[in-house]
Amino acid sequence: MAGNEPSTLTRRTFLQTTAFAAAGAASLATLAGCSQPASEGDASKEDAPVEVAEEVYFQSCMGNCSGWGCPCYVHVRDGKIANITRAKLKCPDGSDSPYQETCLKGYANIERMYSPTRVLYPMKRAGERGAGDWERISWDDAVSEITAKWKELQEQYGPEAVAFMSGSGSGMATISYTGRLQALMGAMTIAPCYDNTGMNVQMNHGGLGAYTIGHNEHRDMVNANNLFIWGTNPTESNIVDYHLVSQAKENGAKVICIDPIYTTSAAKADIYVPIRPATDGLLAAGMALISIRDGHEDVAHLQTMTVAPFLVKDSDGLYLRLSDLGQAEPLSEEDRVLVYEGGEAVAFDAASNPEIRGSFEVEGVAVKPAYQILLDRLNEWDLDTIAEMTDVPLETIEELAAIWNSGLSYIFTGFGPDHYANGQCGYDGMFALMDITGQEAKHGAGCSCTDFSAPNTPGLVNTATADLVGVAAPGRTIHAPHFHQLMEDGEFAGMTAPKAAYIYICNPITNEPDRQKWLKSFDAMEMVVVSDMFMSEAAQYADYVLPVAFLYERDDLSSTSNPFVKYTQKAVEPAGEAKGDFEIITALGKAMGFEDYFTQDLTTFLASCVTNDAAAAVGLSWEALQEQHAIWTYPEEPQVVGLTDIILSATGRFEFYHEGIQPMANVGQEWDMLKESCWFWEPPIEAWPETIGGFEAVDEAEKYPLLFISERCKFKTHTMFNNSPMILELDPEPYVKVNPKDAEAYGVTEGDVVRIENDRGYVVIKVVLNAGVRPGMLVIDHGWERDGYIDGHYSDLSTYETWPRFEQDNWFDCLVQMEKVQ
Ligand SMILES: Nc1nc2c(c(=O)[nH]1)N[C@H]1C(S)=C(S)[C@@H](COP(=O)(O)OP(=O)(O)OC[C@H]3O[C@@H](n4cnc5c(=O)[nH]c(N)nc54)[C@H](O)[C@@H]3O)O[C@H]1N2
Ligand SMILES: Nc1nc2c(c(=O)[nH]1)N[C@H]1C(S)=C(S)[C@@H](COP(=O)(O)OP(=O)(O)OC[C@H]3O[C@@H](n4cnc5c(=O)[nH]c(N)nc54)[C@H](O)[C@@H]3O)O[C@H]1N2
Ligand code: SF4
Ligand SMILES: [Mo]
């Protein structure tokens, strides 16, 4: 499909596909210098064929959303992109791929690419940080000034004086090349902590399999009888996969949406369950208790597929093993975990009907099956308290449990619960419910998560640092929730504060919590370099901005979140002096003195990523990609953990109990291993404004009684697409959604301007009344940068408070006050 194929269009098809497309095409035709403008009032010429020399290239949108990598064709006329069309890909069986849609943002990429906010040249700060005064400098000067400073700092303070930070802005292969320079420099990592709780609890439960992250691939949801949309809003955040929900519905599935907000997804569900924020784990516990009471415990599943029968020692929470009885070498392959059967402890694989309840003594050691520990924790709660805490009436919980047990049930989750400090209580509860009732490891039963339909594509291997094993490695990692403490105190958890940062595919000033702290930490550094295509908010506060080539201006490989590996072709020359990340890193690497490590060209690097045995086994190679552009590397059957894909947890079983669990990062926090090893529920750190069920309201609630969250919207992915005029026409400004009852209580109405604040900061923003917002909550669409707000910033409000188990950015764990400004 690539290459110089002229396409024949009539003016009518060119200009009249839809009003929306026509507007885009017309303006782009001008932009592209198209020599065939529509001639007004000349009907006879309307249908005359117009020869337009056009080159068509296979590409993909990397919208940093769940679609990540929607395939498309870009159409080039006179050296400019004039159109984007959907690429229709096929599954191995010849059917249309379910992963081939493109949303409104994908088509808006043309406007992004030609936006005046593109960074065209290397820029150096010329005034106050963030004031917008820049001087243009040459690439040579930028590279030599940046690397001279890095060398000076590393010589004086050691390799970790320089830190690298990347976000989720792109999953392209060339991005990984930055890791090569970081490893060679031994530079520190500043790790943003998006989605860690949700993802890690999934992995703790079902392992990181060959094709799955402890769950089912999205294609499998069409097989469900009951689809619980629980903690995600896929009509906004998973636009291109939402058709799978519709298909499940067409197949007869009942759709239930559990969300504190009446979202667009809730509006399309059969049953909407408003829930008190951050109490999902209790709702799951209530459904589990009812399921057990009503005889829906799947004992065989618990015995064979989960850790339920594994004997846990009361003394230390670790499994009882043959080695404890002196019958095997500790840690040897023979050292089996024991279960209880026929009045004695036997190796788990020698038992056919092990106990899953009770408490036993084995050679003087007190033990319990892991399931008994879960039951004990569940039984601490009664259904009335759960109803009070979740604000879900008891009859609704009963109804939900009955539906759950009426057929194949499937949870489509996302990152709603993840964004509160107690997020693990929610996911651990949902997964325990699946384990207890055997709703997993079957087609149509289990769970999938908004962002990661098909996370691992066999054959695509990041080779950027493959030859550096044993030669060079990056320095230590400071997670975002503790980064500012490190910067303020100069030292934290044995690390010394970095003096410079290189930030790429990341816009932390907007996307991380507690923006004021970020501004201070930028100030505390001697040099901040951001590489981006646009003057993102992080770029606006940097010392140097390096211009990056847009997706369509470089060759690359992508595979994220769907089963295709894609070769995306350079279609046009980079704007201005922009360069691909690969070229930028190569230039910086050479100037740092690593010439010998930066000798390969881009094609050699990309080809090396798809040259391996796993690639060969699925017909993936550089040559094949040149011809086919997109290669399906997955099995044909939708992947289900525990059925088609292995459970790669520590025990090879679904784990609702985590033996010897350790925190994600040990930073001196209090750690109660026994407590963290199995489901429990405690309120979030800040987002608990009322005293309920004996859990006291937080002190902040007196001053800041409203709970503030953000929500994905279809018009942007994070801060991307803020620069598309078409999208801004549809969604021109940020607003806060307020329940009419709260509006009345606060004396505000539609269109008023309010100041929302807490001790960390404030934002001034317009009000939109929305009865779908839970009273006591305020919602702002996620992704607006500082220029969007009347004053302040929504990211000034959120906090870095974290739970001991996960390093996590908890944007929703946030209380605020609201007052009318005008
Ligand atoms: N309030 C609030 N904040 C949130 C969230 C929330 O729900 N509420 N969600 C959070 C979540 S889950 C996530 S994943 C994060 C995402 O946070 P980020 O990863 O910071 O997301 P983006 O805004 O997409 O920023 C990516 C930047 O990378 C740039 N970029 C894109 N492609 C390339 C490339 O090829 N090379 C280089 N060098 N740069 C490139 C883009 O122009 C953009 O400026 O946001 C988080 N922030
Ligand atoms: N258009 C668009 N799509 C995106 C993105 C984007 O920025 N824009 N970002 C992508 C990324 S990186 C991610 S991580 C995903 C995230 O995708 P989602 O998980 O869908 O993210 P959100 O919309 O932030 O939150 C999900 C839902 O959780 C609800 N919620 C809030 N609190 C609670 C709670 O306590 N319990 C329950 N049950 N629900 C709660 C919110 O009201 C919201 O409807 O989206 C991806 N897709
Ligand atoms: S923004 Fe996301 S869903 Fe939309 S086209 Fe791009 S990758 Fe696909
Ligand atoms: Mo995310």
Side-chain angles (χ1 to χ4, degrees), residues 63-64 112 167-170 172 175 194-195 415 419 451 504-508 510-512 531-534 536 548-549 551 554 581 710-712 717-720 782 794-795 798 811-812:
N64 193 7
R112 274 178 86 209
S168 61
S170 171
M172 307 303 285
I175 298 299
Y194 328 128
D195 312 332
F415 296 98
H419 293 357
D451 245 4
Y504 63 108
I505 57 162
C506 189
N507 191 3
T510 313
N511 290 324
E512 283 292 317
S531 73
D532 208 302
M533 298 114 166
F534 305 102
S536 70
V548 178
L551 280 167
R554 63 192 204 216
D581 292 87
S710 50
E711 197 180 68
R712 298 291 184 279
T717 54
H718 313 287
T719 60
M720 295 211 212
H782 163 51
Y794 85 140
S795 293
S798 46
W811 298 274
F812 296 3

Side-chain angles (χ1 to χ4, degrees), residues 195 232-233 236-237 258-259 278 280 415 420 712-713 716 718:
D195 312 332
T232 181
N233 185 12
E236 305 288 321
S237 66
I258 303 168
D259 198 304
D280 301 272
F415 296 98
Y420 303 86
R712 298 291 184 279
C713 78
K716 41 179 116 268
H718 313 287

